[in-house]
Every structure is written in structure tokens, then in C-alpha cells.
Amino acid sequence: MTSLDLQQEDGRARLRALELASFIVEAPAGAGKTELLTQRYLRLLAVVKNPEEVLALTFTNKAATEMRDRILGSLSAAKLPAAPDIAPHKLQTRALACAVLAHDSALRWGLLEHPGRLRITTLDALCASLARQMPYLSRFGTQPRVTDAAASYYQMAARRTLEMVEDGTESAEVVAAALNFMDNNAGRLERLMVALLGRRDQWVRHAGRISDSSLRAEVDAGFGELIARDLADLSALLPPTLQAALMPPVRFAAVNQPAALAALLDWEMPVRGCLEDLPRWQALAGLLLTSTGGWRKSYTKNQGFPADKEGKAFKEILAEALAGIHAVPDLDQALGACLSLPAQKLSDAEWSTVSTFSHLLRLAAGQLWLAFQEGGEVDFIEIAARASLALGEDEAPTDLAQALDYRISHLLVDEFQDTSPVQVELLEQLTRGWLPGDGRTLFVVGDPMQSIYRFRKADVGLFLRVRQRGIGDIALENLRLYRNNRSYPAIVDWVNATFPQIFPAADNPQRGAVCYTPSLATRSARDDSAVQMHPVIVEKMDQAASAEAETLLQIILQTRQAYPDESIAVLVRARSHLSALVASLRRVAPQERFQAVEIEGLADRQHIQDLIILASALLHRADRVNWLALLRAPWCGLQLADLHALCADDHASTIWQLMQDEQRLERLSADGRQRLLQVRAILGEALAQRGRQHLRRWIEGVWLMLGGPRCLESAAQLADVAAFFALLDELVGAGTLTPETLHSEAASLYAPPDALAGSSLQMMTIHKSKGLEFDTVIVPGLHRDTGSNDSSLLRWDQVVLADGREHLLVAPIKSRTATDDTPTAYDYLRRLEDGRSAHEDERLLYVAATRAVRSLHLVGVALADTAKDDGLKPPANGTLLDLLWLNTAAAAFRSALDAGALAVATVNDFDAASFVPDLLRLRAPRLPDAFIAGETKLPVDRNENLPEESESRIEAAVGTLVHRALELIARDGLAAWPIERISGLQAAYQRWLQQQGQSLAEAANGAQQVVAALACTLNSAAGRWVLGQQQEAAAEAAWSSLGENVAVNHVIDRIFVAEGERWIVDYKTVQEPAHAPADFLAQRAESYRPQLARYASLFADAGLPLRLAIFYPVQGVLIELK
Amino acid sequence: MNRPLILCATARLAQTLRSAAPVGAQVWQTPPTLTLAQWLAQLADEALLGGLASLPQALDPFAERLLWEQVIGAAMTAGDSPLFDIQGMAASAGEAHALMRQWNLSVVELDCSAETQLFLGWQSEFLRRCQAGQWIDLLGQQLAVIGLIECGQLPIPSEIQFAGFDRDSPFESRLKNALRQRGSVVSDLPTGLSAASDQVQVLAYSDLQTECEALAEWVANKLAADPAQRLGVVVPDLAGARDRLAFALEDRLHPALIRPAAAEVSRSFNLSLGRPLADQLLVQAALELLALAAGSKVEQSRLGVLLNSPCWSAGVSEADGRARLDAAMRSELNYFTRIPSLLRLGNRLVESEQLGCAQTLADLTALQAAAEATGSRKRALADWATHFRAWLKEAAWPGERVLSSHEFQARRAFLETLDSLAALDAVLGKVTQQEAWRRLSQLCRQRVFQPETRGQPSIQVLGVLESAGLSFDALWVMGVSDDLWPPAPRPNPLLPAELLRAEQVAHASAEVELDFANRVQTRLLRSAPQIIFSYARGDGARLLRASPLLAGLSVNDGVTPKPASLAWQMAEAAGSEIESVADAMAPAVAEGEKVSGGTWLLRAQAICPAWGYFQFRLGAEAIEEAVEGLDPRARGTLVHGALEAFWRVTQDSASLHGYGEPALRQVIGDAVALALADFEQQAHQPLPARFRQLESKRLERLLDLWLALEKQREVDFSVLACEQEAVVEIEKIRVRMFVDRIDQLADGRRVIIDYKTGATIDTKNWASERISEPQLPIYAALASREPVAAVVFAKVLADKPAFSGIAEQADLLPGVRALGDAREKRFDPERFPDWPAVIEHWQERLHAVALEVRQGVAGVMVADENALAYCPVLPLLRLAERQRLLVGLAGEA
Ligand code: SF4
């Protein structure tokens, strides 16, 4: 297509995308995808009944909030008059927003008042909401917390599974078999299980099918199909004409070397691309390739060509044939690959290993569920799995219209190239039952060329398949955008020219391969926009880092000088590629500040390590290493000799114990002793108060008292410290703070970016840069490789057969003790994965390149190698430089080499190995003033450890009930409460007591006591007198008084005025012991005097004389306190 | 005097109204103020005690939830997969039921979702069970009380004022009607100020942290101006912002109270949000003691936490001993272990006087005995509560430390909770110990514990609901972003969403939440003369917007307060207070000072002198982490043991070759059995049975593999010694070591062998200045009196068994190169022309390193940090600091 075509096609697609139909849209880098999504979202809002019916799914929370911001922004802007100079595509957005506002006010949505009604969320959050709305179907019961740090649960589950080996059940056999297979290495098995539990969305369902008898056949068929496909590809590379030329010499050779070439003895017909011909292919490959996989150059009698005349003749024929064959690109690799094809069927041993491990994994998944249950939280995988469960099987789908709070009418999915199989399945479930033309639409948008999240289970093949076949029953119309509004033409043109050669020629979903589609620059050209390759050539690889850093620094300095206002980004494939660069940049140009986004480890900084030391020591007294380190840290700075005097002769006691030994302290130097005592006082306080403070504050307080902040290099490091304490908060909140977790979690944190650096120079990984743009992009480390795939107990894969059915593939890991080298199915699947990740590398380079607006710099290092023709060692496989080598990089490196650009090793006469650092410490440790001044009002421990023994529960309950009844009697008057009424209430009293948790017997007994007490009271003169008073009377009266600037409440059982005197009476239900002295009640009454005196004080100024008394209902006795 | 009864929406408001002193009064009659629920409960009580009506007993919330749980559990059939959180399901069901009551909803069974249908089934079963037990849910009882009022029963105050209700549900409307019918004067108590504030600001901050700091700054300034002010802080998401806000307030208002001794000193602010009782250290300890008392197998880290807790037995006086017991447990006991094993280990160590924690062990023993005596049969919860109390007493809970005021309250709360278990007996019946424990811990998790505050803090930090009806001199409402305010609706999933929306049930829909937020906002605007609303523009990667309810108010950027924290003040002087002291020499080894470690010491010293010093002269040992199964070291020990046992029987190559297949198998089997038995004896405990079998198989396989390699040796040998102890003195440092194996060749020369079962092997260092694998060189160069022909590592590995080392001549051992071999890259032929040169080099270098030890050389000097990967004393080496200093120096150079 011409660029005009592209432009028209692009415009047409953008319009079409706003129609009420289902689409899959491909939007390359810089195409303005977000604007399109916004427009469509607005368009849909204007046609639904409730705004909740439109659901947009994004890849990250950040993207979700940005999109919401954009939509709300458009809506708010639409309320204002339009700006005169508004751009055309903005005009479109504005029109759509106006329509939404009209719709909003017609239906009284109040969208702008309640923007939460916009459903823009991540898939994870959607799953969580589905699970919440269907608590029973999802089997959650209630929505659990979701943790993204589930590794500790995986480990717990793995360990508990391993522990099952001792439980004597059938499961024990499974675990034993697995352990046996793993050479009884529980640690290794545990690690592999943990890894798999973190990916169980990929296998749980399959693992359940392993015992199906049909499955083995399915798997075998799957492998057969894959192998056949490989052979078909191979035979396509080696057409019959080329084969025919080979036949005579090979037949000749086969006669001489029947052992290796038997399969080709009667080679008359071309070898076909099918399974039966595999042995012939392999024989051929063995002949034509050397053991390292390259074309064989010389043929001898070993290959069946003796040095005699006949042999020579055939060798010449062979050489002629080979000329054509060697010219076929990739044929050597394809032939080599056929040598490592596994057997088409898993052996019985392999299959039994598969079933053992599957069973083991199911056990582990079961343990994981229990572990989650104990912790009350789950991981995202579980949420997704349960959401899917709640949505129901295809055969018995859940009625979503009833189950959800609003029906879903329109779905929009962003970044569709990075979805995982589970996610696509979820979309299928959500759209089940949608019919064409029923008004519901699905809209997915993405760019397969930017699919780079395989490590998060993304599979670009899904995009390709969905584009072809739709989702569920929904066919998706394919739209493609071409415009690139971001980069200047020089960049776009370079990308258009370069990437078709880097990307494969055709899409292949199974292999995760995507071909290139061109873009069209919309910005007008600019002279200073360019793509530059910066070859760095060194003689030894250990010079690479510094030479590369130098180049990098030059680019940065030049760019900054020429374009002070522009943004620069340094993008790398892996964090580790940047650490050396960052270090040398800091060294060479400390004045250049930059933001390293999630690059540098927080725990690599000494001041953070000091905090970890402090926390570890406080949390465990027997941790001698950290206790010594605590004494060595700058806030104490004990010298070696003092440490020696403190603990060299006692390796058993804890350091804290030794610190208490005064005699021992005598041995220290005066300075050392003073330092130690200072620290001892602080730690002593901390240990004595252990557990009374939020743990984070406890540690922080000690750090402050020790003068931790004084030991920093600068106040700016407090940002690191804050990040550390935030981690502590998190661990304390989760209840998992231990020295071990602190260590491992701190190691996975990144130092916060330099607060003093603006955002004009940033360093990050290519993954982090996704969706961002920078005026200048520098990609260093092109020559660097990343680690390889880890091993896994089982590998799973899937293949879609010609009939459209998916076949499961599975293969077990090879035992370490296995000695033979025959190719295994496991290796085959691993290579398949490796192939996919190689394709992803291509896309990674694409993403990096398309971040650039004006200028793109590519920096790579090659080794000079005089043995090679062009003087350079070609870049390693799997590096980005390798991808660029043939079509751009090689030439640049060669001309650089010709120009003599060999990096000279920077002479470093500094001997790092023998450098011995000094001890850094506070000159004079002292308690910070704040603590000295504030020392006045610390609480003294009160002796409140007295055992809390009280009256028995039934006695207390009886007392309460008597009070309650007396209150009612006093309120209603004696006339309303004849004795009979009381005795008639015994059953009610019993119930009341039972309701208070008393047993039946106790309650019955208690009710009897209550009736007796009340009867006694009503029968006694004293009782009738106390209850019958009416003047200024109150029962259970509440009074307040002003204490020390706080109101204090008092509840007085009975208060009244009789004959000009105010009586204050307190009821006490007391049972007289058997042999009580006669004045028992009077004595008891005395003990209540303080309480009554307190009441009396309330009425001290009220005028009337006061009488204080205790009334005993059980005895019907009133005793006045004189 | 007849004062109106005031019914409040929240307990806090009731409390505030009760304690509000009339102007000038010292003593006053407390106004009758109750929450609505309290009053209705009181009426129900009166109905019962006055014999007016026999209402069914209201289940307490926990018992009600248990009943729901039982109903749901009973409705599930055997094939159903279990629910993750049946308690949560029960809570939802209970809530749905309450909503139906409060909002007077009726659900048509047809045409509703599967979840709703299920719920309706549970509901009728729930009501049936209630009837059978003469119970009722709380709202049911309240409705019954309203019914009594409606039919003229129960005395009713003549005047009733409602306070702090943001919006009436049908429930409250019905009550108000009934009261009016009875002739009571019903009104709303005006709360707050008479007019909305006219001093309202909206401030935006970059993030939550800054927002909290700015708020703290504002509070501090206000109080500085007038200490008697009452300030309010309202936070819609109080749970989420609680810690951050509290820390910021504390840092700004009371920086010095962060010290541990000031943990319970009262602050000038009060947070209306407690924490679960189960989070209290005291309660955690109690629950763990009860859980573990029965001696079941658990992750040993749980025992470790228990040992670390001061809240039982001799938790203070034996804290050090307990910590050491934990350390010992990690290295000696299995990953899954139980209290009896811990007791055995502890008693062994105490007996050998290595440990001081006898009291702890005694109490733990008593606890276990008590649990055992109680047995495992089912009992009523009331009964369990009594037993649990007794167990705790045996364990000397809550320990010997004097309780702080908060701890005292926590203990009381815990014991109350324990007592309240009895109230569940009616619903639960007899239960197992685990079940009883589970219910107790659920109760403790649900019960919110908030220690009483002493005095009246001038700053109240409240959630939205608790702020109802309160007023302040100035108010700050923080965290008012569009995702939280108005709040997101959370309709009950068990009721039809359409119905909830139609009836405008609280929290059911966006419309309702918006209306609710609007009311609250109106009320807040009248609660203080001066009001600030604030929000953060971002939270991590999320962008936040101002709440739409603030529309119309202009948003200003809040001023980020100048950093003023104590840390900041101290850090400003950072750097200038640091001194640099040369301190790389420790005291020389004194006469008679024993230096342990042997070859390990020399190894560490060679890699980094400080390592050698700290680990071996100061005894800095790291705490181990318990592992499941055998750790690599133990696996190695077993291999060593098995090979030793094998070669003690098979004394030379001739015998090895002489074995027939069955005989070899037999000898290997015996050797492995012996090694395992030995190992178990060393470890004082048997290996788990099944694991032992597996390990034995592994060892047999491995030996088989290894001996095949030994058979390939072309030169005959006899095994002279296995695990041979040798002691040499180098520079007065006594080095004791065990040589794995010494073979003798026909000519009398020795081959020194060291078995390696893991890790990569480095022999390159043998030619270097600092020999980091000194074991074999020491023996060869310093201990052996006979000439040595080869020193080799034997890599006894399942995947690639091999010898690796250096020999005097070729073909002595398969794969071991001879000195002078063209392919030999380690030993430069110029420096090492012959074997004696190698020996001499070793002698010299070993002496040099030993001399360092003796002199006390202890600087952090390391050539290759990778060699420190497994260094246990890393924290002492301060490598990051060294790196930093290095970069600085290199920059200068
Ligand atoms: S994994 Fe499945 S089959 Fe195996 S024990 Fe568990 S439930 Fe049974």
C-alpha cells in the first residue's frame, strides 16, 4: 500500500471503530490508541441505560485511572464552551462528550457527581468484583483480601505437601515417588513446586485430567502433530530438485556407512515432511551437519566417502549438490532441529512421572487452598479461577443478568496483545450468549508487535487467533491503524525499513511469531531527527562496561547541551544491564543527576543495611552476627579491640547478656565503654517495652534514639529510609515481620528515584517504558544477554490441530541421574518456549525503538577478533545486537573498526582488592536532645499483675438482675409490684439469666435467689421505705461531675429526699456466709464507704444534709454509714 | 424534672452528649442519652422483667453468625466444594436478612439469581431454627419491641429527641410513627452549628504522606495558637490512612514520644478506631499457647514466635535463654515439629548447662500436661473456657513482666471474651478443642480493642459515621478523593440488585451513596466554623481526582510543609558528625587464647580477614533458617559417612574390584545403614521413617555411581585412612582438621581426597596468593609426613561424579591433570616447575595467612565479593560502605 492508501485506511478504521459493532483493532506505537478508546467509550455511554453497562478493561491500575481521568476531562470540558483552535480529532471527542452529557441529564445519572459509576478497571479487579458479586458460586463466601506477595503461601503449601510423605496415606506414596525421582532433594523439589504454584493457572485444570485414559492419546497426537509440522517446514526448505541432486552420492555413502545411513540406502524418492520419514531426515542431517550444527565442509570415509577414485567422484557430485543446499537460508538450523526431535510418544516412564507430578501438584494446590484459608487472603490466580468458576461452565452458564448488579452491554479491552489464556477465557464467559445484532459489543485493541509480557503469561498467539476466529461466538471485525503521531519520519522510516527483516515473514500463533506492519509518520520531517548506531569495540569484555558508559555519557552530554529542554531515556532489557552503567556514570559524572526508575536495590545501600541490622538484632536476641554488627555500626562504632574484650572468650552467651556483665565492661577502653553504655541504655529500654508499640515505631524510635539520622551521608537519604519503614509497615500490617522476611523483602525493593533529579533524564527497563515517549531514547547494552528459562517439574503446552481442537502437551523434567542424551519431549517443549521468547526479543527492540520521538541511539559492544575475516566477533545469539547485526549493525561496526575506533582500556592503577576501609562512626554518640528534654513524664509501671479473680459469673448476674428489678419497682411504685407479681416472674428471671449465658441449672437457681431477694426486700420495712420514697427520687440515676477537665460519670442506685435529708443508697447483693459474725453486714458496709463518699461529694453543695446507706436486698437490711 | 430522652445514631455521640458539661456546672445530672439500639434492648429487657411480653432472646451478633454458618453448612451437600470463608458467607447472609428487616423488603423467589434463591432457602431455615431455640436476630427483636410500643405497651418517655441520624430507613420511620402515636413528642436534636461554615478550603497534595504531614502541621499551628481548641479530623477511609496519619501527628506533635518507654503516654489526639483484640501481644500469646498446648505438629517458626513472646512464663528473665533455644531448634529440629520435641531439645541443653530457660521449660511441660489431662473429647464451650483458663495458668500467662495499663485492659478483655464463649453453647452444643479454640480466636479477631484514653485529647480523628452530630472549633476532612467520596456502592450480593436500588437501600447503588455523601457533607459543613477538605492527587501509580462533592469550591495546592521531623533535624547535620578511624587490626592472639575453626578459619581469613576474625575469634554465628527435609550440609554429611563406612570395610582397590555385583550391593547397603544410624545419633533424633527410606535409596544410588568411577582408577591404591584427624600448628595457630580420605599408592605416596557434594569447586586458588580452599594444601604441605602424589576433590554428585585437583604425574586419577600438562592452566609452569614448588608455595602462603590470624589482621579486604556469597558474617563487613568509599577513592584517582 502506498502511504496515501495507508492514511485513508487509517482514517476509515478510526471512524468505523466508533460504530456499534464488535472489533479487534491493531494500533501500532504512537497511533493514538488511548484517544480512540476514549472516543468509543463516550460513544457507548451515549446509548446505554446505565453507565455501568459499559466496561473497559485495562492492563494496569495506572492505565485505568488515566483513562478515567481522560474521560472525565472530556466530559468536564464539554460543559464549557469550545476553544476556537481545537484540533479536529479533539472536536470529534468533544461532540461525543456532549452527547453523553445530554444523555446523562436526560436519565439523571449524575456522572460527574459520581465518577465511580464509570467502570474502567483492570482484569484483576473485574475478577475480584465478579467474585464479590457471586460469593457462593465463586466458593469464596466473602471476598478475601488479595495479596500480590503470595510466595510465602506457595512455600508453605509446598512444604506441607512434602511433609505428607510421612502421613501413611496414598498421598504419601505420591510424594515419595516424586522425592525419589528428585534424588530425595526436598529443597529442590520444594523450589520447583513453589515456582509451579505461582503459575497454576496454566496447569490446575490439566493436572486434573491426567488420570483420564484418553489424555495420553491426546498428548501423543499433539506431539505427533508438532513434529510433523516441523518436518513439513523442513521439507519445504529442501525441495525435491535439491534432494534429487543429493540422492546418488548419499546412496553411495550409505553403502559404505550403513550404520549411520541405513535409512538412506535406497533413497530414490524425495524425503517427505511426515512422521514416517523422520529417520531419513535424521540420517540426512547427521550426514550434512557437523556435531556443532554447522554445515559439514569436508567429507571422508567416516561419512562414507573413501579416499579412492570412486569416492572422489561421488564427493564431487556431492559438492555440486551441496552448493545449492548450503545457500538455502535457515536450512542448517532446521536440519539440526530435526536431530533433536523427541520420540513421538512419551515413554511409559515419562508418563508415569507426568502422573506422579500432576498428582503431587494437585496435592500442593489443595494445601495452598488451606494455607490461603488460614491467612484469609488469596492470590490473583485464585481470584481469577474463582471468578471463572462462578461464571459457570459452558453447559450450565450462570445467568449474568441476575447475578451482576448491572448487565454488561459493552466490553472494551485495552492492550489485548498481552492477555493470557485465562483472561481470554474469562472474556468468553462474560460474552456467552451474546448474539450478533443484539446491541452488545466487544472491542479489543492492542498491538501484537508490542507484546512483551510473556513473563506475566501473556501469549501473543491469542491475539492472532482471536483476530482470526473471534471470541466465543462473537466474530470481530479487524481494523488496523497506521498513523504514528509520535515519532518524526526519520525514526518511523528507519523502523519501517529495519523491522521487516527482524520480525518473521509471517504470523505464527503456535510459535508466538508476529510479522511486521508498517506505520506512517504524521509529523513533518525534521533535520536533526535520526537513528544512530554507536559501535563500541573492545579487546576484552571486561572493558565493555566502562567503554560503553563513556559512549553513553557522551550522548547524554551532547544531547543535553543541544536540547536542554528535551527528555532523555536510557532503556535497557534487564535491570542488571544498567547497574554497571549507573555506577560508572555516578563515578565519571557525579554532577549529572538522573532518575533510575526501579533500577537500584534499596538494600544495597549501607544505611538501609544498618536498619536491617538494627531490626534483626531487636527481633532476635541470639542473633550474634547482627548484635555485633549493631555495635559496629556508626551509631556505636565499637572498635575491634573492644569487641574482642566484650565477647571473644564467650561464644555461647548472647551479646546482650555479655553487655550486662559489668566486670567485662571494665576491660573495654574508656571510649568503648562509654559508647557501649550509651547503646545499652537505649536497647535496654526497647527490650523492656517489647511488644507495647507498633513494631515499626519501636524500631524507628530506637533508630532515632541511637542517632541513626546523624549517621547518614545526607538528609536526602531519608527518602530511602522512608521506603524502608514503609516496607516495615507493610510487613507489620500483614503480621509477617521476621528478620528473614525483612531480608528477603528488602532485597526485592528498589531505591526511590533521586528526588533532586528532574524527569529529564530517566533510566529504566524497556518493559517499564511501555506506553511512554521520550525525545531522545538511548538503548545501551545491545550486546547483552538475559538469563535462560528455569527448569520446571512439568512443562505444559497446547497445540491446535487441523480440526480446530486444542491438544494438551505435557512432558516431565529429566531426572538428574539420567545419563543418556536422547532428545526428550521436555527439551522439545523448552525449545518451543525459547523460540517464543526469541520472538519476544524482536518485539522488545521494537518497543524500545518506538519510544523515541526525535532521536534514537543504539549502543552495543563487540569484541575485536583478529581471527575473523572482518575482525569482529559476531554478537551472541539472543542479544538485541544479534537481531540488528545483519541489516544495520555489522556495517556500522566494521566501518568503526576500520576507522580505528578501538576503545582503550582506562588505566586503573587503583587496587580495589587490597583496599581496607576505615571504621566510620559518630564522633560522639549521645542521646538526641529531644529525648532528654522529653524525659520528664514517662509512666511508671503499676503493679497490675494481681490475678484477676472476681466473684463468680452467676453471682454477678444475680446482682445485676436484682438491681434491674429494684429499679423497675422504684420507677413504677410499690403498688404496681405486689409480691405475687414477683413470684410470677421467676420463669422470666430464669430466662434472663440464661440469656446472659448461664447454664440452665445455674439460671434456675439464680432466679430463685432473685425472687427470694426481691420478696425479702418487699417484705422488709427498710426495703419498702427505700423503694417507696417519691420526693426527688431516682433509681439508677446518672450524674456527671467535672474531674480533671474530663467528665466523670456516676450511677447511683437510689437517691431521694426524706424529711429534709437527702438519702444516697447503694444496693449490694451479698450472701452471708454460714458462720458470719453478727456485724458482718455492717463491716461489709464500711468497705463501701469510699464509693458512697464519692457520690456524696456530688451533692456537697446542693444544700440538704446527706445520709449515706447500703441496702442489702437479700437480707432486707438497710445499714447507714454514719 | 422530666428531661427528653436523647437517642443517638452512634455511641460516640451519646458519649459526647452525656459528658458535655452545662456551662459552669461542676456536677450535673447526666442527660438520658442512649443509642437507639441500647434503648430498644433496654425496652426488651423491661418487657421480659416486667412480665409484659415474652420476646424471644436476641442472639448476640456472633451467635447469630454461628447460626447462619450452621444453616449454610447444613445446606451444602457432600459433593459441594467447601467454601473458602463460610464465616464471611454467614456474615453476608446475616446482613441480607437484616437489610430485609430494616428496609422492609420482600423478595420474590421467582426470577432471581441463584445466589438469592439459595439465600432465601437459608433464611427460612434460619428462622425455623430460631423459633425452635426461642431466639431471634437483633433486628427481629427490635421490630418486636416496636410492635409492643405500637400496641400501647411499655412506658414511653414523653419527649424523645433523635440525634445524628443522617437518613431514616423504614425501620426508624416506623419507630418514630409508633412513638408519636403513643403521644410522645418526637423531634430531631439539632446538632452542629446553626449555619454552614463560610470558611471552607480545598487543598490538594501530591500524595497521602504529604497530606498527612500538612494536616499535622496545621494541627500543630492551631494548638500553638490556642491549646484549648477542639479540632476534628474526619477521614472517609480511616482504616487505610490510620497508621500514616497517626505517625505523622505523633512525629509533629510529640516527636519524643516515639521512644519505647513512652508507648502508652497519652497523646493529644485520639483515633476512633481500635484494633482487633487478637492483635494484642498478650492475646496472641494466650491464643498460641492454647493452640499449641495439645502438641500437634506445626511449622517450628510458630514455636519460635512463642519463645520470643514475653507474655508467658519467665518471658523476661529467660529471654536470652529462650532466644538461644530458638536458634538451636532451627538447626536441630525438623521444619515441622511439636512441643514435646522442643522440650526434649531444651531439657537436653539445659541439663548440659548450655542454656538458661528452665522455668520456661517447666511451665511449658505443665501446660502440655494440663492439655493432655483435659483430653480430646467434646465439651461445652463454657467447660472449655474453664479449662483454657487453667491451661493458661499453667503456662504462667501473662508472664512475669509488670502489665502496662493497656496490657491490663487487654487481659481483662481477653478473659471476658473467654467467658463469653459460654453464650454460644446454646447454638453450638459440644465441640472439640480445635473448634472451641477456633471460635475463641474468631471472637478475639472480631472484638475491637481500644484502650481507654486518659484525659480528653484535643484532637479527635474520626471516620465519617462517628463524626455524626459532633462539632469542633475547626475541622479538617482528609482523603476526599473521587474514588472514596462518595463511596463506591457495595450492594449485598445475596439480594437482587434491582430491588435494592429501587428501595434505595443504604450502600446499594451509586445514587444512594451520592445522596448519603451529600447529607454527610452538609452536616460536616455545619460542624465547625472553619473547614479544610483535602485529597492526594496520586496514590502509587494511580491518579486521583478531587471528590465531585467539592465541585464549586476552588481547589488550591496545599503547601508541602517544610520537613521538620526529628529525623530530618538530625540528618541535617549528617556527615559532619562522622569520624573515620583506622581499625583493621584486632588484638593479636594472646598466649593461651584458643582459636577455633581450623581450616575454616584459614579459609575465611584468606577470602577476607574480617570474616575470619568475626566468625572465629568473636564467635559470630548466623542464625539458621529451618528447612524442610535435609539441608545440603546434612546431605553431604550422610555421603561422607556412607563413603567412610564403605572404605573402612573395603580397604583397597583390589577388594573393590573383587566384589561381585551382589556383594558390592551388600557392602554399600551396610555402609549406608551405618551412616544413617550415625547421623541420627548425632542429631539426637531419628529421621522420619519414610524420608529415611528415600534417603537410604539415594545414598545407595550415589555410592554405586561413585564407586564405578573409583573402579576406573588405573593405579592401585589402598585406603589408609578415612575421616582422619590431623592437627598442625601454623604460626602458633592450632589447626585441627579431618581429612576425608588418604589413599596410599604402591610406591608409598599418598593421594589426599576431600569429598565435595555440592557447590562449585575452585582449585584455581591453590596457585594464588590467598588460598581460599586450604584444607587439602594444609594436609599435603604441613601435616603429611609422607610424600603426596596428588590432592583432589572427589565430586560425589549424581549428575557428574568426577575427581578434580592436581597430581604430580598424569593418569594417577581419572580426569586429574598433572603438573606441567599442556592443558593445565592453573599452575603456571614457570612458577611451579615441579611438585616441591607447589608444596613450598602452599607452605609459605598458609603460613602467611595464619600469621595474619595471629597478629589480628581483621580488615575488610576482599578481592572477589562473589566468594562471600555464603559468608555468615556479611552484616559485619559493611560491604556497601566499602564500595562507596572505593568509588570515592577511584573518583579521586
Ligand atoms: S489431588 Fe485429587 S486425587 Fe489426589 S488426593 Fe487430592 S483430591 Fe484426591
Side-chain angles (χ1 to χ4, degrees), chain A residues 113 139 159 163 184 373 610 620 632 654 685 690 692-693 919 921 923 945 981 991-992 1040, chain B residues 28 30 45 50 54 81 84 258-259 297 308 320 326 335 403 407 548 577 579 581 583 635 695:
Chain A
E113 283 89 67
R139 315 311 288 174
R159 289 187 166 170
E163 183 64 13
N184 199 28
Q373 208 168 18
D610 285 341
H620 208 299
R632 186 84 174 144
T654 65
E685 176 175 333
R690 193 150 58 112
R692 290 182 171 156
Q693 224 175 340
L919 169 67
R921 63 177 189 180
R923 201 163 290 124
N945 269 25
R981 184 165 175 202
R991 267 199 71 198
W992 191 92
S1040 301
Chain B
W28 66 96
T30 318
D45 223 26
S54 170
S81 51
F84 183 80
I258 195 174
R259 71 180 307 164
K297 214 198 253 178
N308 193 23
D320 292 284
D326 177 35
Y335 182 80
L403 293 187
E407 283 165 347
E577 297 190 49
E579 66 179 3
V581 184
D583 186 31
R635 285 165 62 87
E695 186 59 17

Side-chain angles (χ1 to χ4, degrees), chain A residues 164 169-171 174 207-208 211 358-366:
Chain A
M164 291 168 83
T169 62
E170 239 174 86
S171 311
V174 174
S211 39
S358 304
H359 205 148
L360 180 77
L361 290 174
R362 271 181 295 158
L363 292 172

